[in-house]
Amino acid sequence: MKLPTDHSNALVRRLFSFWAPTTRSMRGWAMASVVVNAGIAVTGAGVRVTGSGLGCPTWPRCTPDSFIPVPHPEVSMLNMLVEFGNRLVTFLVLAVGAACVIAAWRMAPRRRSLVGLALLQPAGVVVQALWGGLVVSTMLNPFTVGMHFLISIGLIAACWMLYARAGEGDGPPRRVVHRDVRRLGHVLVAAVFALLVAGVVVTGTGPHSGDVMASRFDLDIEAVARLHADIAYVVVGLTFALLFAVHVSDSTRAARRAALALFVVELLQGVIGYTQYFLAVPAALVLLHVLGSTLVWIAALRVVTSLRTRDPVPAPHSPTEVPATV
Protein backbone atom coordinates (compact mmCIF):
# COMPACT_ATOMS: atom_id res chain seq x y z
CA MET A 1 0.00 0.00 0.00
CA LYS A 2 1.31 3.43 -0.98
CA LEU A 3 1.86 5.74 1.97
CA PRO A 4 1.52 9.56 1.85
CA THR A 5 5.27 9.74 2.45
CA ASP A 6 5.76 7.97 -0.91
CA HIS A 7 3.47 10.37 -2.81
CA SER A 8 4.82 11.92 -6.01
CA ASN A 9 3.81 15.42 -4.87
CA ALA A 10 6.55 17.03 -2.74
CA LEU A 11 4.05 19.10 -0.74
CA VAL A 12 2.09 16.00 0.28
CA ARG A 13 5.32 14.25 1.31
CA ARG A 14 6.26 17.21 3.49
CA LEU A 15 2.82 17.42 5.11
CA PHE A 16 3.04 13.76 6.10
CA SER A 17 6.77 13.73 6.85
CA PHE A 18 5.96 13.30 10.56
CA TRP A 19 5.09 9.66 9.78
CA ALA A 20 8.55 8.82 8.45
CA PRO A 21 10.67 11.53 10.07
CA THR A 22 14.26 12.43 9.42
CA THR A 23 16.38 14.84 11.41
CA ARG A 24 15.63 17.51 8.83
CA SER A 25 11.84 16.99 8.88
CA MET A 26 11.83 16.79 12.70
CA ARG A 27 13.50 20.19 12.83
CA GLY A 28 11.06 21.45 10.22
CA TRP A 29 8.05 20.51 12.34
CA ALA A 30 9.69 22.00 15.43
CA MET A 31 10.25 25.29 13.59
CA ALA A 32 6.65 25.21 12.36
CA SER A 33 5.59 24.92 15.99
CA VAL A 34 7.71 27.96 16.89
CA VAL A 35 5.99 29.91 14.10
CA VAL A 36 2.40 28.96 14.98
CA ASN A 37 2.92 29.62 18.69
CA ALA A 38 4.36 33.04 17.88
CA GLY A 39 1.45 33.58 15.50
CA ILE A 40 -1.22 32.86 18.11
CA ALA A 41 0.47 35.33 20.47
CA VAL A 42 0.12 38.00 17.78
CA THR A 43 -3.48 37.09 16.91
CA GLY A 44 -4.26 37.24 20.63
CA ALA A 45 -2.97 40.81 20.61
CA GLY A 46 -5.21 41.44 17.61
CA VAL A 47 -8.19 40.35 19.69
CA ARG A 48 -7.19 42.82 22.37
CA VAL A 49 -6.56 45.87 20.17
CA THR A 50 -9.83 45.39 18.28
CA GLY A 51 -11.80 45.26 21.53
CA SER A 52 -12.87 41.68 20.79
CA GLY A 53 -11.76 40.09 24.04
CA LEU A 54 -15.36 39.30 24.97
CA GLY A 55 -16.51 38.82 21.38
CA CYS A 56 -17.37 35.30 22.42
CA PRO A 57 -18.77 36.02 25.88
CA THR A 58 -18.77 32.36 27.02
CA TRP A 59 -16.33 29.45 26.96
CA PRO A 60 -15.97 26.90 25.45
CA ARG A 61 -19.03 28.02 23.46
CA CYS A 62 -18.90 31.30 21.59
CA THR A 63 -22.37 32.18 22.86
CA PRO A 64 -24.42 30.41 25.56
CA ASP A 65 -26.19 28.30 22.92
CA SER A 66 -23.65 28.01 20.07
CA PHE A 67 -20.02 26.99 19.55
CA ILE A 68 -19.77 29.24 16.48
CA PRO A 69 -20.57 32.95 16.10
CA VAL A 70 -24.29 33.69 15.76
CA PRO A 71 -26.05 37.08 15.95
CA HIS A 72 -26.07 38.33 19.53
CA PRO A 73 -27.88 41.49 20.64
CA GLU A 74 -25.04 42.69 22.90
CA VAL A 75 -21.95 41.77 20.84
CA SER A 76 -20.79 42.95 17.42
CA MET A 77 -20.51 40.17 14.86
CA LEU A 78 -17.07 41.52 13.85
CA ASN A 79 -15.84 41.18 17.43
CA MET A 80 -17.26 37.68 17.59
CA LEU A 81 -15.50 36.67 14.38
CA VAL A 82 -12.16 38.08 15.55
CA GLU A 83 -12.30 36.24 18.88
CA PHE A 84 -13.61 33.04 17.27
CA GLY A 85 -10.85 33.21 14.66
CA ASN A 86 -8.24 33.37 17.39
CA ARG A 87 -9.80 30.32 19.01
CA LEU A 88 -9.59 28.46 15.71
CA VAL A 89 -5.85 29.15 15.51
CA THR A 90 -5.56 27.02 18.65
CA PHE A 91 -6.46 23.96 16.57
CA LEU A 92 -3.64 24.76 14.13
CA VAL A 93 -1.20 24.99 17.04
CA LEU A 94 -2.53 21.67 18.38
CA ALA A 95 -2.23 19.99 14.96
CA VAL A 96 1.40 21.07 14.54
CA GLY A 97 2.14 20.02 18.12
CA ALA A 98 0.62 16.60 17.47
CA ALA A 99 2.76 16.25 14.33
CA CYS A 100 5.83 17.00 16.45
CA VAL A 101 4.86 14.30 18.97
CA ILE A 102 4.30 11.69 16.23
CA ALA A 103 7.55 12.61 14.50
CA ALA A 104 9.54 12.42 17.75
CA TRP A 105 7.89 9.10 18.64
CA ARG A 106 8.61 7.54 15.23
CA MET A 107 12.21 8.77 14.96
CA ALA A 108 14.63 5.91 14.58
CA PRO A 109 16.29 5.57 16.97
CA ARG A 110 13.73 7.11 19.28
CA ARG A 111 15.13 9.86 21.50
CA ARG A 112 13.44 10.39 24.86
CA SER A 113 14.63 14.00 25.00
CA LEU A 114 12.76 14.86 21.81
CA VAL A 115 9.62 12.98 22.84
CA GLY A 116 9.53 14.84 26.16
CA LEU A 117 9.95 18.26 24.55
CA ALA A 118 7.35 17.43 21.90
CA LEU A 119 4.80 16.35 24.51
CA LEU A 120 5.03 19.77 26.13
CA GLN A 121 3.30 21.26 23.10
CA PRO A 122 -0.13 19.55 23.18
CA ALA A 123 -0.02 19.76 26.98
CA GLY A 124 0.62 23.49 26.69
CA VAL A 125 -2.27 23.92 24.26
CA VAL A 126 -4.61 22.27 26.76
CA VAL A 127 -3.34 24.59 29.51
CA GLN A 128 -3.81 27.59 27.22
CA ALA A 129 -7.35 26.53 26.32
CA LEU A 130 -8.33 26.14 29.96
CA TRP A 131 -6.62 29.41 30.85
CA GLY A 132 -8.54 31.09 28.03
CA GLY A 133 -11.74 30.11 29.79
CA LEU A 134 -10.42 31.76 32.93
CA VAL A 135 -9.63 34.92 30.95
CA VAL A 136 -13.24 35.12 29.76
CA SER A 137 -14.73 34.28 33.15
CA THR A 138 -12.65 37.00 34.86
CA MET A 139 -13.79 39.58 32.27
CA LEU A 140 -10.28 40.04 30.85
CA ASN A 141 -8.54 40.65 34.14
CA PRO A 142 -5.09 42.03 33.15
CA PHE A 143 -3.29 39.37 35.21
CA THR A 144 -5.02 36.48 33.43
CA VAL A 145 -4.56 38.16 30.04
CA GLY A 146 -0.87 38.72 30.71
CA MET A 147 -0.34 35.13 31.84
CA HIS A 148 -2.01 34.00 28.61
CA PHE A 149 0.83 35.69 26.71
CA LEU A 150 3.57 34.44 29.04
CA ILE A 151 2.37 30.84 28.70
CA SER A 152 2.78 31.28 24.94
CA ILE A 153 6.31 32.54 25.58
CA GLY A 154 7.02 29.37 27.57
CA LEU A 155 5.66 27.21 24.76
CA ILE A 156 7.82 29.03 22.23
CA ALA A 157 10.86 28.24 24.40
CA ALA A 158 9.92 24.53 24.47
CA CYS A 159 9.42 24.51 20.70
CA TRP A 160 12.76 26.22 20.09
CA MET A 161 14.55 23.74 22.35
CA LEU A 162 12.95 20.91 20.37
CA TYR A 163 14.28 22.51 17.18
CA ALA A 164 17.77 22.91 18.65
CA ARG A 165 17.94 19.46 20.25
CA ALA A 166 16.72 17.73 17.10
CA GLY A 167 19.90 18.88 15.36
CA GLU A 168 22.18 17.70 18.18
CA GLY A 169 23.05 14.51 19.94
CA ASP A 170 22.03 13.44 23.44
CA GLY A 171 25.44 13.78 25.04
CA PRO A 172 26.12 16.28 27.82
CA PRO A 173 26.12 19.95 26.79
CA ARG A 174 29.52 21.16 25.59
CA ARG A 175 30.18 24.90 25.39
CA VAL A 176 31.63 26.26 22.15
CA VAL A 177 32.56 29.65 23.60
CA HIS A 178 34.39 30.84 26.69
CA ARG A 179 32.66 29.95 29.95
CA ASP A 180 32.01 33.59 30.84
CA VAL A 181 30.49 34.29 27.43
CA ARG A 182 28.03 31.46 27.93
CA ARG A 183 27.14 32.81 31.37
CA LEU A 184 26.54 36.20 29.81
CA GLY A 185 24.15 34.51 27.38
CA HIS A 186 22.15 33.03 30.25
CA VAL A 187 21.96 36.42 31.98
CA LEU A 188 20.80 37.95 28.71
CA VAL A 189 17.94 35.45 28.31
CA ALA A 190 16.83 36.13 31.89
CA ALA A 191 16.89 39.87 31.18
CA VAL A 192 14.82 39.41 28.02
CA PHE A 193 12.24 37.43 30.00
CA ALA A 194 12.12 40.22 32.60
CA LEU A 195 11.60 42.67 29.73
CA LEU A 196 8.63 40.64 28.49
CA VAL A 197 7.10 40.55 31.97
CA ALA A 198 7.51 44.32 32.27
CA GLY A 199 5.88 44.70 28.87
CA VAL A 200 2.91 42.65 30.07
CA VAL A 201 2.54 45.00 33.05
CA VAL A 202 2.64 48.04 30.76
CA THR A 203 0.02 46.44 28.53
CA GLY A 204 -2.19 45.65 31.52
CA THR A 205 -1.95 49.27 32.68
CA GLY A 206 -2.39 51.10 29.39
CA PRO A 207 -5.15 51.20 26.76
CA HIS A 208 -6.33 48.35 24.49
CA SER A 209 -7.75 46.24 27.30
CA GLY A 210 -9.79 44.09 24.92
CA ASP A 211 -13.18 45.34 26.07
CA VAL A 212 -14.65 48.41 27.77
CA MET A 213 -15.67 46.20 30.72
CA ALA A 214 -12.11 44.95 31.33
CA SER A 215 -10.22 46.14 34.39
CA ARG A 216 -6.70 47.62 34.38
CA PHE A 217 -3.74 47.46 36.77
CA ASP A 218 -3.95 50.37 39.19
CA LEU A 219 -0.44 51.63 38.33
CA ASP A 220 1.05 54.81 36.94
CA ILE A 221 1.47 54.19 33.21
CA GLU A 222 4.40 56.62 32.96
CA ALA A 223 6.27 54.83 35.75
CA VAL A 224 5.78 51.31 34.36
CA ALA A 225 6.64 52.49 30.83
CA ARG A 226 9.91 53.99 32.14
CA LEU A 227 10.69 50.75 33.98
CA HIS A 228 10.06 48.81 30.78
CA ALA A 229 12.37 51.15 28.87
CA ASP A 230 15.09 50.87 31.54
CA ILE A 231 15.05 47.06 31.31
CA ALA A 232 15.19 47.39 27.52
CA TYR A 233 18.37 49.46 27.86
CA VAL A 234 19.87 46.74 30.06
CA VAL A 235 18.95 44.07 27.48
CA VAL A 236 20.48 46.06 24.61
CA GLY A 237 23.62 46.69 26.67
CA LEU A 238 23.99 43.01 27.51
CA THR A 239 23.44 42.09 23.87
CA PHE A 240 26.09 44.54 22.71
CA ALA A 241 28.51 43.12 25.30
CA LEU A 242 27.79 39.59 24.09
CA LEU A 243 28.15 40.65 20.45
CA PHE A 244 31.53 42.21 21.24
CA ALA A 245 32.62 39.14 23.24
CA VAL A 246 31.82 36.58 20.55
CA HIS A 247 33.64 38.66 17.91
CA VAL A 248 36.86 39.17 19.87
CA SER A 249 36.98 35.63 21.26
CA ASP A 250 37.29 32.26 19.60
CA SER A 251 33.56 31.78 19.00
CA THR A 252 31.67 29.97 16.29
CA ARG A 253 30.15 31.69 13.29
CA ALA A 254 26.70 30.56 14.46
CA ALA A 255 27.16 32.37 17.80
CA ARG A 256 28.32 35.57 16.10
CA ARG A 257 25.41 35.57 13.65
CA ALA A 258 22.86 34.83 16.40
CA ALA A 259 24.14 37.69 18.56
CA LEU A 260 24.07 40.11 15.64
CA ALA A 261 20.53 39.07 14.67
CA LEU A 262 19.32 39.62 18.24
CA PHE A 263 20.93 43.08 18.36
CA VAL A 264 19.27 44.12 15.09
CA VAL A 265 15.83 42.84 16.17
CA GLU A 266 16.14 44.71 19.47
CA LEU A 267 16.97 47.98 17.71
CA LEU A 268 13.97 47.61 15.39
CA GLN A 269 11.77 46.78 18.39
CA GLY A 270 13.02 49.91 20.12
CA VAL A 271 12.04 52.03 17.13
CA ILE A 272 8.54 50.55 17.21
CA GLY A 273 8.26 51.04 20.96
CA TYR A 274 9.22 54.71 20.94
CA THR A 275 7.05 55.38 17.88
CA GLN A 276 3.94 53.92 19.52
CA TYR A 277 4.71 55.83 22.72
CA PHE A 278 4.87 59.19 20.95
CA LEU A 279 1.82 58.39 18.78
CA ALA A 280 -0.34 57.47 21.80
CA VAL A 281 -0.17 53.71 21.24
CA PRO A 282 -2.04 53.13 17.95
CA ALA A 283 -3.47 49.63 17.57
CA ALA A 284 -1.44 48.68 14.48
CA LEU A 285 1.83 49.43 16.24
CA VAL A 286 0.74 47.37 19.25
CA LEU A 287 0.48 44.37 16.94
CA LEU A 288 3.94 45.08 15.54
CA HIS A 289 5.31 45.48 19.05
CA VAL A 290 3.90 42.10 20.15
CA LEU A 291 5.36 40.51 17.02
CA GLY A 292 8.68 42.19 17.82
CA SER A 293 8.53 40.89 21.40
CA THR A 294 8.16 37.30 20.23
CA LEU A 295 10.98 37.76 17.70
CA VAL A 296 13.27 39.18 20.40
CA TRP A 297 12.49 36.16 22.58
CA ILE A 298 13.13 33.69 19.76
CA ALA A 299 16.36 35.47 18.82
CA ALA A 300 17.52 35.37 22.47
CA LEU A 301 16.81 31.63 22.62
CA ARG A 302 18.76 31.19 19.40
CA VAL A 303 21.71 33.00 20.99
CA VAL A 304 21.82 30.84 24.10
CA THR A 305 21.55 27.57 22.15
CA SER A 306 24.31 28.71 19.77
CA LEU A 307 26.74 28.95 22.69
CA ARG A 308 26.75 25.20 23.35
CA THR A 309 26.25 21.93 21.55
CA ARG A 310 25.69 18.28 22.35
CA ASP A 311 27.59 15.41 20.80
CA PRO A 312 26.00 12.06 19.99
CA VAL A 313 26.09 9.54 22.78
CA PRO A 314 28.91 7.12 21.95
CA ALA A 315 27.82 3.62 21.10
CA PRO A 316 28.57 1.10 23.82
CA HIS A 317 31.76 -0.87 23.14
CA SER A 318 31.81 -4.59 23.41
CA PRO A 319 33.81 -5.72 26.42
CA THR A 320 37.40 -6.40 25.60
CA GLU A 321 38.23 -10.05 25.76
CA VAL A 322 40.85 -10.78 28.34
CA PRO A 323 43.17 -13.57 27.38
CA ALA A 324 43.00 -16.54 29.65
CA THR A 325 45.87 -17.08 31.96
CA VAL A 326 47.21 -20.45 32.71
Side-chain angles (χ1 to χ4, degrees), residues 145-282:
V145 173
M147 282 300 300
H148 214 24
F149 174 75
L150 292 178
I151 294 172
S152 288
I153 289 299
L155 282 173
I156 290 171
C159 297
W160 179 265
M161 289 307 301
L162 177 63
Y163 172 79
R165 291 297 307 275
E168 302 172 332
D170 283 324
R174 175 175 59 84
R175 57 184 174 84
V176 295
V177 295
H178 190 275
R179 177 188 59 193
D180 293 336
V181 175
R182 189 176 177 209
R183 288 175 177 172
L184 178 59
H186 291 155
V187 172
L188 174 58
V189 169
V192 171
F193 182 75
L195 179 64
L196 295 176
V197 173
V200 165
V201 175
V202 173
T203 299
T205 307
H208 305 300
S209 62
D211 191 271
V212 294
M213 299 177 64
S215 60
R216 302 275 77 200
F217 287 130
D218 187 19
L219 300 170
D220 179 33
I221 185 62
E222 291 286 341
V224 293
R226 287 195 195 97
L227 175 62
H228 182 56
D230 290 342
I231 299 175
Y233 289 137
V234 172
V235 168
V236 172
L238 289 172
T239 304
F240 183 79
L242 181 68
L243 181 61
F244 180 79
V246 296
H247 275 83
V248 300
S249 62
D250 186 20
S251 301
T252 63
R253 182 183 179 187
R256 293 194 297 269
R257 293 178 65 180
L260 179 59
L262 174 59
F263 189 65
V264 171
V265 173
E266 287 171 355
L267 293 181
L268 293 174
Q269 177 73 336
V271 171
I272 296 171
Y274 274 105
T275 303
Q276 70 173 2
Y277 178 78
F278 288 114
L279 295 181
V281 200

Side-chain angles (χ1 to χ4, degrees), residues 35-54:
V35 172
V36 296
N37 276 281
I40 199 170
V42 176
T43 60
V47 170
R48 182 164 49 80
V49 299
T50 58
S52 305
L54 296 177

